[in-house]
Amino acid sequence: MENTRTVAWAWQEQPGLDVATVREDARGRIAVSGHMVTAWDQRVLELTYRLSCDPGWVFRRLSAQVKLDGRLRELDLRHDGEGWLANGAVRTDLVAAVDIDIMGTPLTNTLPIRRVPWTLGASHPFTMAYVQLPDLIVVPVRQRYTALPATGRFLYETLPTPPGPADSPQLPGYHGVNDGFQAELEVDADGLVVTYPPYWRRSASA
């Protein structure tokens, strides 16, 4: 049986909206299509993204485009379970990563939450293939998720990451990857974010 959900998140600190449609086929394979628009230094940034995951939300491919100042940036990111390719280039620096995290959208927080079996109080560190905006640069970034006692709540933390491209300019008002950021995420039964303070709050779901 195929299941489809469409979710919209509103940015809380500046104008912005992210809408994603999640489709799960009868074999459990996941396909996501999303569109995020937000203010970027008094300009408009537009992100479109498509994800493919194996059953269990195991990441396989991302196709992403960013439009800003009339310039189009594109990324084709793939993981076959053994290695990573970014726009056709082998990325050995991502070897420890299984999941991706796209800056500026709460959709990709679902991947580790759905992929890993959780018990209350369990805490897991992850290396993420972190996709930065606006240039769609991909860098390895360390994060940790902890399942809190309240149902559907996770503590999300950034962990120290070696200096490098991950220290490049960030989305205005958005946390960096080395600033010890923490947030208590609320997710629904499907692992999709409901609230991600101080950035995102779900505004609609169908």
Side-chain angles (χ1 to χ4, degrees), residues 24-25 27-30 53-58 115:
E24 182 176 359
D25 69 16
R27 298 174 58 185
R29 295 173 300 189
I30 307 296
C53 297
D54 284 347
W57 286 79
V58 178
R115 184 177 60 81

Side-chain angles (χ1 to χ4, degrees), residues 9 32 38 48 58 61 73 85 90 104-105 107 109 150 166-167 192:
W9 297 275
V32 179
T38 188
T48 57
V58 178
R61 185 177 182 182
R73 303 159 172 90
L85 293 175
V90 176
T105 172
L107 183 280
N109 295 95
D167 299 315
L192 296 168

Side-chain angles (χ1 to χ4, degrees), residues 50-54 56-63 77-81 84 98-100 111 115 129:
R50 294 182 180 274
L51 277 75
S52 299
C53 297
D54 284 347
W57 286 79
V58 178
F59 172 78
R60 287 296 175 246
R61 185 177 182 182
L62 165 69
S63 176
L77 183 64
R78 306 185 187 206
H79 184 225
D80 63 3
W84 289 82
V98 175
D99 306 296
I100 68 165
L111 274 68
R115 184 177 60 81

Side-chain angles (χ1 to χ4, degrees), residues 2-190:
E2 183 172 308
N3 295 309
T4 301
R5 289 192 63 186
T6 298
V7 182
W9 297 275
W11 196 296
Q12 299 299 290
E13 294 198 321
Q14 62 189 46
L17 184 69
D18 184 20
V19 180
T21 297
V22 181
R23 296 181 177 87
E24 182 176 359
D25 69 16
R27 298 174 58 185
R29 295 173 300 189
I30 307 296
V32 179
S33 58
H35 186 197
M36 189 271 285
V37 179
T38 188
W40 181 289
D41 286 343
Q42 299 183 344
R43 298 168 290 166
V44 175
L45 180 145
E46 183 177 356
L47 165 71
T48 57
Y49 56 92
R50 294 182 180 274
L51 277 75
S52 299
C53 297
D54 284 347
W57 286 79
V58 178
F59 172 78
R60 287 296 175 246
R61 185 177 182 182
L62 165 69
S63 176
Q65 295 182 332
V66 166
K67 294 179 182 178
L68 179 67
D69 291 337
R71 178 184 171 192
L72 179 66
R73 303 159 172 90
E74 297 182 292
L75 173 66
D76 179 24
L77 183 64
R78 306 185 187 206
H79 184 225
D80 63 3
E82 296 182 0
W84 289 82
L85 293 175
N87 289 337
V90 176
R91 293 293 303 271
T92 57
D93 59 324
L94 300 175
V95 65
V98 175
D99 306 296
I100 68 165
D101 186 7
I102 305 174
M103 173 193 275
T105 172
L107 183 280
T108 45
N109 295 95
T110 298
L111 274 68
I113 289 174
R114 286 297 304 271
R115 184 177 60 81
V116 173
W118 294 92
T119 57
L120 292 183
S123 183
H124 295 287
F126 301 95
T127 297
M128 297 290 183
Y130 187 69
V131 181
Q132 291 184 295
L133 303 182
D135 293 325
L136 296 175
I137 295 170
V138 185
V139 295
V141 167
R142 296 282 291 164
Q143 300 174 354
R144 179 166 55 221
Y145 286 73
T146 302
L148 300 176
T151 302
R153 292 190 178 270
F154 289 82
L155 177 64
Y156 161 80
E157 304 170 88
T158 60
L159 301 177
T161 299
D167 299 315
S168 63
Q170 304 290 311
L171 181 64
Y174 208 71
H175 70 83
V177 298
N178 272 319
D179 56 7
F181 175 80
Q182 295 185 354
E184 184 175 319
L185 310 181
E186 178 187 359
V187 302
D188 63 18
D190 292 323

